[in-house]
Amino acid sequence: MKSDQVKVVENYIKETNKQLQLSKTNKKDEVYAISPTGEADRVNPSPRMMLKSAGVTRVDYRWNYCRIKISAKALKFAVGSGIAIAGVYAPARAVQAACSVAGIAVSTSNIKHGVWFDYNYFTGIFMGKAGKQ
């Protein structure tokens, strides 16, 4: 790789490590780090039990982006104001775009489940992948 490409990768890793450190102190949000093999490891222990509900609100970190999962309840707020979770802020336009890709009408109040989407927190862009929870 060229030296400028190495610097970009190093910056991604540095930013991801920073986000993971911030997540360790936040006991409210569920945060997972996904290994290259696809295994999920909990970053921050939480006293809450995961209950069956209309989706979950959590962040799964990959090395250069994260998968944000927003529950139906939180989604109603996020489409208007964006969402800050585990040190990552996704603006309302990114949440709205994710809902559009996932086939969720944001204008309706009958959102039954949440949405997930891939978001590059380093560059601040929605990566075009989204789905329903």
Side-chain angles (χ1 to χ4, degrees), residues 6-79:
V6 171
K7 288 201 181 290
V8 169
V9 171
E10 287 174 345
N11 285 337
Y12 272 118
I13 292 169
K14 181 179 174 183
E15 181 65 21
T16 300
N17 287 335
K18 183 175 124 186
Q19 295 295 334
L20 289 171
Q21 283 300 106
L22 288 171
S23 300
K24 284 182 180 179
T25 61
N26 189 347
K27 303 267 190 256
K28 188 180 100 185
D29 298 325
E30 294 177 30
V31 180
Y32 292 81
I34 310 299
S35 73
T37 62
E39 293 181 29
D41 291 319
R42 185 80 184 247
V43 172
N44 59 343
S46 173
R48 293 187 304 147
M49 298 265 310
M50 286 188 60
L51 302 174
K52 180 73 175 158
S53 64
V56 296
T57 300
R58 78 179 208 204
V59 175
D60 294 346
Y61 282 100
R62 273 56 174 192
W63 78 274
N64 64 339
Y65 71 96
C66 62
R67 177 163 287 172
I68 298 176
K69 298 177 180 178
I70 307 174
S71 69
K73 183 177 178 181
L75 185 59
K76 293 172 186 175
F77 175 79
V79 295

Side-chain angles (χ1 to χ4, degrees), residues 66-124:
C66 62
R67 177 163 287 172
I68 298 176
K69 298 177 180 178
I70 307 174
S71 69
K73 183 177 178 181
L75 185 59
K76 293 172 186 175
F77 175 79
V79 295
S81 302
I83 188 165
I85 178 172
V88 175
Y89 174 72
R93 60 180 162 67
V95 177
Q96 293 165 0
C99 288
S100 177
V101 169
I104 297 173
V106 295
S107 60
T108 180
S109 61
N110 293 337
I111 299 171
K112 294 181 181 179
H113 303 286
V115 66
W116 65 264
F117 61 96
D118 293 342
Y119 183 73
N120 187 315
Y121 51 84
F122 189 72
T123 58

